[in-house]
Amino acid sequence: LHIIIAMAKAGSDGLITIAGGDVMNAIVDNHEAPMVISSVMKQNCTERGRRIVECGMDIAAGSAICRGDKNYMGNAYMSLPIAITVEGANIMTRSFQIIGQGLTRCHPHMSDLLKALQLPPSEEKHGVKIFVKQFHKIVGHGITNFFGSVSRGVGATFSSATRSKTAYKNGDELLAYHEKQLLRLAANFALTADLCFTLGGRLKFEELLMGRLADALGAIYLGYATLHHYDRRRGIEGLEALTEHAMLRLEREAQEALYAASENFPGPLGPVASTVMKMGCFPLGGLTRPYSDPSDTLTKEVSRLLTTPSEIRDMFQEGIYSAPDGAVHQMTDLINALPICVEADKVATSLRREKREPTAEETNLIAKADALRDALIQVDVFEHATAEEAQPGYVRPALQGTEERFANLDKTVFREAA
């Protein structure tokens, strides 16, 4: 994994997580408790958080595994399994909870149909009427979703094929294009959800299908959250590139999840449902699967924004603790050292290009940057792992009695034993 790719992925995952969290906090602040979206956020934010920290571990390398106050990654890496596994393990949330709850709770007609089935025998006739009425609505809803999925799929594919790779630099075009793609993916998802009813009660045992649909739903929701974040924060220099990178990744995630579901649709009617799903979601085959990973040019641009002083870095630093002047804090020291080191690199590049000696001011700047680098790359060193080891005559428990056992052996080397 190249550092450029790791930085860009961590940046776009960070933006996605922040955007989703902002929307979720607004929902909760409005005294609402959306069960399905809560599950989507829990599973996605903790999983993306794990990816971010893993990218950080790759970049920090050895300094990320040497314990001590200077290690700013180790504790996050070790604590992530807690977030992944508690309050509903992600493996269960993704494979059961999100779609298991969402399919009936979010469908516009299924809830009323289920209520009709629960009416007492005295209201059987009324219940039958409601059931038939809602069943017809469900069928009509599915047909509408099919044709909506086809039309949006073809339209979105055309707009993707004719779009310039630099179109994202116009904020209005960025929003309009990606909103159109999300509408297409939402229509694809709605059709797939309708086809899931062909499984009946068996759906709750089809964990692979539900996991893929959870991935698609999560990517679509977080896509809308990311666009909402951009619309609120637009004006930050470089936010267009970061938003574009995040949206391209989310759209590809949703596309691949839906395609995998169409390739592996289970159940007795699985082949039929698979064919209908492919016709509705990808009517022109591979041509209607237009989403791909961000280009190298965009990835390099996002990485540059995150590794040099920029408004994007300032945005991410809003929620980071900064120690007061004089305090020893590795994260704060790294943040404060970046502008100095970047400026020193520019001076060094200029000196090489112009083939001249540095001025006194330039010499001091380069020396200061070198001193900061030397200090920041150091790791904690301990003469003893524990306080007990520092005591005179201490012997590690694993070695206690070793000398006596060797003394009692008839043969103490391999050659003698052979």
Side-chain angles (χ1 to χ4, degrees), residues 9-25 40-53 80 218 221-223 225-227 229 232 242 246 249-250 253 315-316:
K9 284 187 173 182
S12 56
D13 273 332
L15 174 68
I16 291 167
T17 303
I18 291 171
D22 287 348
V23 174
M24 188 67 204
N25 289 339
V40 168
M41 283 297 299
K42 191 274 175 185
Q43 186 259 326
N44 270 274
C45 288
T46 53
E47 183 58 41
R48 292 180 193 279
R50 172 159 59 180
R51 295 182 204 168
I52 293 170
V53 173
L80 268 170
Y221 167 74
L222 290 172
T226 302
L227 291 184
H229 178 274
R232 288 191 307 111
L242 184 58
R249 292 182 62 205
L250 287 170
E253 286 178 20
M315 181 189 74
F316 280 121

Coordinates of all heavy atoms in Angstrom, one line a residue, residues 9-25 40-53 80 218 221-223 225-227 229 232 242 246 249-250 253 315-316:
K9 N -7.0 7.5 1.1 CA -8.1 6.6 1.6 C -8.5 7.0 3.1 O -9.6 7.1 3.4 CB -7.7 5.2 1.6 CG -7.7 4.5 0.2 CD -7.5 3.0 0.3 CE -7.7 2.4 -1.0 NZ -7.5 0.9 -1.0
A10 N -7.4 7.3 3.9 CA -7.7 7.7 5.2 C -8.5 9.1 5.2 O -9.4 9.3 6.0 CB -6.4 7.8 6.0
G11 N -8.1 10.0 4.3 CA -8.7 11.3 4.3 C -10.2 11.2 3.8 O -11.1 11.8 4.4
S12 N -10.5 10.4 2.8 CA -11.9 10.3 2.3 C -12.7 9.5 3.3 O -13.9 9.9 3.5 CB -11.9 9.7 0.9 OG -11.3 8.4 0.9
D13 N -12.1 8.5 3.9 CA -12.9 7.8 5.0 C -13.2 8.7 6.2 O -14.2 8.6 6.8 CB -12.1 6.5 5.4 CG -12.4 5.3 4.6 OD1 -13.5 5.2 4.0 OD2 -11.6 4.4 4.5
G14 N -12.2 9.5 6.5 CA -12.4 10.5 7.6 C -13.5 11.5 7.3 O -14.4 11.8 8.1
L15 N -13.5 12.0 6.0 CA -14.6 12.9 5.6 C -16.0 12.2 5.7 O -17.0 12.7 6.2 CB -14.4 13.4 4.2 CG -15.5 14.2 3.6 CD1 -15.6 15.5 4.3 CD2 -15.2 14.5 2.1
I16 N -16.0 10.9 5.2 CA -17.3 10.2 5.2 C -17.8 10.0 6.6 O -19.0 10.2 6.9 CB -17.1 8.8 4.5 CG1 -16.9 9.0 3.0 CG2 -18.3 7.9 4.8 CD1 -16.3 7.8 2.3
T17 N -16.9 9.7 7.5 CA -17.3 9.4 8.9 C -17.8 10.7 9.6 O -18.8 10.7 10.3 CB -16.1 8.8 9.7 OG1 -15.6 7.6 9.1 CG2 -16.5 8.5 11.1
I18 N -17.0 11.8 9.4 CA -17.4 13.1 9.9 C -18.8 13.5 9.4 O -19.7 13.9 10.1 CB -16.4 14.2 9.6 CG1 -15.1 13.9 10.4 CG2 -16.9 15.5 10.0 CD1 -13.9 14.8 10.0
A19 N -19.0 13.4 8.1 CA -20.3 13.8 7.5 C -21.4 12.9 8.0 O -22.5 13.5 8.3 CB -20.2 13.6 6.0
G20 N -21.2 11.6 8.1 CA -22.3 10.8 8.6 C -22.6 11.1 10.1 O -23.7 11.1 10.5
G21 N -21.5 11.4 10.8 CA -21.7 11.7 12.2 C -22.5 13.0 12.4 O -23.3 13.1 13.3
D22 N -22.2 14.0 11.6 CA -22.9 15.3 11.7 C -24.4 15.1 11.4 O -25.2 15.7 12.2 CB -22.3 16.3 10.7 CG -21.0 16.8 11.0 OD1 -20.6 16.6 12.2 OD2 -20.3 17.4 10.2
V23 N -24.8 14.3 10.4 CA -26.2 14.1 10.1 C -26.8 13.3 11.2 O -28.0 13.6 11.7 CB -26.3 13.4 8.8 CG1 -27.8 13.0 8.5 CG2 -25.8 14.2 7.6
M24 N -26.1 12.3 11.7 CA -26.7 11.5 12.8 C -26.9 12.3 14.1 O -27.9 12.2 14.8 CB -25.8 10.3 13.1 CG -26.3 9.3 14.1 SD -27.8 8.4 13.3 CE -28.6 7.9 14.8
N25 N -25.9 13.2 14.4 CA -26.1 14.0 15.6 C -27.3 15.0 15.4 O -28.0 15.2 16.4 CB -24.8 14.8 15.8 CG -23.7 13.9 16.2 OD1 -23.9 12.9 16.8 ND2 -22.4 14.4 16.0
V40 N -26.5 1.4 10.7 CA -25.7 1.7 9.6 C -24.5 2.5 10.0 O -23.3 2.3 9.7 CB -26.4 2.5 8.5 CG1 -25.5 3.1 7.5 CG2 -27.4 1.6 7.8
M41 N -24.7 3.5 10.9 CA -23.6 4.4 11.3 C -22.7 3.7 12.2 O -21.5 3.8 12.1 CB -24.2 5.6 12.1 CG -24.8 6.6 11.2 SD -23.6 7.4 10.1 CE -22.5 8.1 11.4
K42 N -23.2 2.8 13.1 CA -22.3 2.1 14.0 C -21.4 1.2 13.2 O -20.2 1.2 13.5 CB -23.1 1.3 15.0 CG -22.3 0.7 16.2 CD -21.7 -0.7 15.8 CE -20.9 -1.1 17.0 NZ -20.2 -2.4 16.7
Q43 N -21.9 0.4 12.3 CA -21.1 -0.5 11.6 C -20.1 0.2 10.6 O -18.9 -0.2 10.6 CB -22.0 -1.5 10.8 CG -21.3 -2.6 10.1 CD -21.1 -2.3 8.6 OE1 -21.9 -1.7 7.9 NE2 -19.9 -2.8 8.1
N44 N -20.6 1.2 10.0 CA -19.7 1.9 9.0 C -18.7 2.7 9.6 O -17.5 2.7 9.2 CB -20.6 2.7 8.0 CG -21.1 2.0 6.8 OD1 -20.4 1.9 5.8 ND2 -22.3 1.4 6.9
C45 N -19.0 3.5 10.6 CA -18.0 4.4 11.2 C -16.9 3.6 12.0 O -15.8 4.0 11.9 CB -18.7 5.4 12.2 SG -19.7 6.6 11.4
T46 N -17.3 2.6 12.7 CA -16.2 1.8 13.3 C -15.4 1.0 12.3 O -14.2 0.9 12.5 CB -16.9 0.8 14.3 OG1 -17.9 0.0 13.7 CG2 -17.5 1.5 15.5
E47 N -16.0 0.5 11.3 CA -15.2 -0.2 10.2 C -14.3 0.8 9.5 O -13.1 0.5 9.2 CB -16.1 -0.9 9.3 CG -15.4 -1.7 8.2 CD -14.5 -2.8 8.8 OE1 -14.9 -3.4 9.8 OE2 -13.4 -3.0 8.3
R48 N -14.8 2.0 9.1 CA -14.0 2.9 8.4 C -12.9 3.5 9.4 O -11.8 3.8 9.0 CB -14.8 4.1 7.9 CG -15.7 3.6 6.7 CD -16.6 4.7 6.1 NE -17.6 4.1 5.3 CZ -17.4 3.7 4.0 NH1 -16.2 3.9 3.4 NH2 -18.3 3.2 3.3
G49 N -13.3 3.6 10.7 CA -12.3 4.0 11.7 C -11.1 3.0 11.7 O -9.9 3.4 11.8
R50 N -11.4 1.8 11.7 CA -10.4 0.7 11.7 C -9.5 0.9 10.4 O -8.3 0.8 10.5 CB -11.0 -0.7 11.7 CG -10.0 -1.8 11.5 CD -10.4 -3.1 12.0 NE -11.6 -3.6 11.3 CZ -12.2 -4.7 11.7 NH1 -11.7 -5.5 12.6 NH2 -13.3 -5.1 11.0
R51 N -10.1 1.2 9.3 CA -9.3 1.3 8.1 C -8.4 2.6 8.2 O -7.2 2.5 7.8 CB -10.2 1.5 6.8 CG -11.1 0.3 6.5 CD -11.9 0.7 5.2 NE -13.1 -0.1 5.1 CZ -14.0 0.2 4.3 NH1 -13.9 1.2 3.4 NH2 -15.1 -0.6 4.2
I52 N -8.9 3.6 8.8 CA -8.1 4.8 8.9 C -6.9 4.6 9.8 O -5.7 4.9 9.5 CB -8.9 6.0 9.5 CG1 -10.0 6.4 8.5 CG2 -8.1 7.2 9.9 CD1 -11.1 7.4 9.1
V53 N -7.1 3.9 10.9 CA -6.0 3.6 11.8 C -5.0 2.6 11.2 O -3.8 2.8 11.4 CB -6.5 3.1 13.2 CG1 -5.4 2.6 14.1 CG2 -7.3 4.1 13.9
L80 N -9.6 -0.3 19.0 CA -10.6 -0.4 17.9 C -11.4 -1.7 18.0 O -12.6 -1.7 17.7 CB -9.9 -0.3 16.5 CG -9.9 1.1 16.0 CD1 -9.0 1.1 14.7 CD2 -11.3 1.6 15.6
G218 N -25.5 1.4 3.3 CA -24.6 2.2 4.0 C -23.9 3.2 3.1 O -23.7 4.4 3.4
Y221 N -26.4 6.0 2.0 CA -26.7 6.9 3.1 C -25.5 7.8 3.3 O -25.7 9.1 3.4 CB -27.1 6.2 4.3 CG -27.1 7.1 5.6 CD1 -28.1 8.0 5.8 CD2 -26.0 7.0 6.5 CE1 -28.1 8.8 6.9 CE2 -26.0 7.9 7.6 CZ -27.1 8.8 7.8 OH -27.1 9.6 8.8
L222 N -24.4 7.3 3.4 CA -23.2 8.1 3.7 C -22.8 9.0 2.5 O -22.2 10.0 2.7 CB -22.0 7.2 4.0 CG -22.1 6.4 5.4 CD1 -21.0 5.4 5.5 CD2 -22.0 7.5 6.5
G223 N -23.2 8.5 1.3 CA -23.1 9.4 0.1 C -23.9 10.7 0.3 O -23.4 11.8 0.0
A225 N -24.9 11.9 3.1 CA -24.4 12.7 4.2 C -23.1 13.5 3.7 O -22.9 14.6 4.2 CB -24.0 11.7 5.3
T226 N -22.3 12.9 2.9 CA -21.1 13.5 2.4 C -21.5 14.7 1.5 O -20.8 15.8 1.6 CB -20.3 12.5 1.6 OG1 -19.9 11.4 2.4 CG2 -19.0 13.2 1.1
L227 N -22.5 14.6 0.7 CA -22.9 15.7 -0.1 C -23.5 16.8 0.8 O -23.3 18.0 0.5 CB -24.0 15.3 -1.2 CG -23.5 14.4 -2.3 CD1 -24.6 14.1 -3.3 CD2 -22.3 15.0 -3.0
H229 N -22.6 17.5 3.8 CA -21.5 18.1 4.5 C -20.8 19.1 3.5 O -20.5 20.2 3.9 CB -20.5 17.0 4.9 CG -19.3 17.5 5.5 ND1 -18.2 18.0 4.8 CD2 -18.9 17.7 6.9 CE1 -17.2 18.4 5.7 NE2 -17.7 18.3 6.9
R232 N -22.8 22.3 3.2 CA -22.7 23.2 4.4 C -21.4 23.8 4.5 O -21.3 24.9 5.0 CB -23.1 22.4 5.6 CG -24.5 22.0 5.8 CD -24.8 21.5 7.2 NE -23.8 20.4 7.6 CZ -22.9 20.5 8.5 NH1 -22.7 21.7 9.1 NH2 -22.1 19.5 8.8
L242 N -11.6 16.3 -2.2 CA -11.8 15.3 -1.2 C -13.2 14.7 -1.3 O -13.4 13.5 -1.1 CB -11.5 15.9 0.2 CG -11.6 15.0 1.4 CD1 -10.6 13.8 1.3 CD2 -11.4 15.7 2.7
A246 N -14.2 10.8 -2.1 CA -15.1 10.0 -1.2 C -16.3 9.5 -1.9 O -16.7 8.3 -1.8 CB -15.5 10.9 0.0
R249 N -15.6 6.5 -4.3 CA -15.4 5.3 -3.6 C -16.7 4.7 -3.1 O -17.0 3.5 -3.1 CB -14.5 5.5 -2.4 CG -13.0 5.8 -2.8 CD -12.1 6.0 -1.6 NE -12.1 4.8 -0.8 CZ -11.8 4.7 0.5 NH1 -11.6 5.8 1.2 NH2 -11.8 3.6 1.2
L250 N -17.6 5.6 -2.6 CA -18.9 5.1 -2.1 C -19.8 4.6 -3.2 O -20.4 3.5 -3.0 CB -19.6 6.3 -1.4 CG -19.1 6.7 0.0 CD1 -19.7 8.0 0.4 CD2 -19.3 5.6 1.0
E253 N -18.5 1.2 -4.1 CA -18.9 0.2 -3.0 C -20.3 -0.2 -3.2 O -20.6 -1.4 -3.1 CB -18.7 0.8 -1.6 CG -17.3 1.0 -1.2 CD -17.2 1.7 0.2 OE1 -18.2 1.7 0.9 OE2 -16.1 2.2 0.5
M315 N -9.6 21.7 8.7 CA -10.9 21.2 8.9 C -10.8 19.9 9.8 O -11.6 19.7 10.8 CB -11.6 20.9 7.6 CG -13.0 20.3 7.8 SD -13.7 19.7 6.2 CE -12.8 18.1 6.0
F316 N -9.9 19.0 9.4 CA -9.7 17.8 10.2 C -9.2 18.1 11.6 O -9.4 17.3 12.6 CB -8.8 16.8 9.5 CG -9.5 16.1 8.4 CD1 -9.0 16.1 7.1 CD2 -10.6 15.3 8.6 CE1 -9.6 15.4 6.1 CE2 -11.2 14.6 7.6 CZ -10.7 14.6 6.3

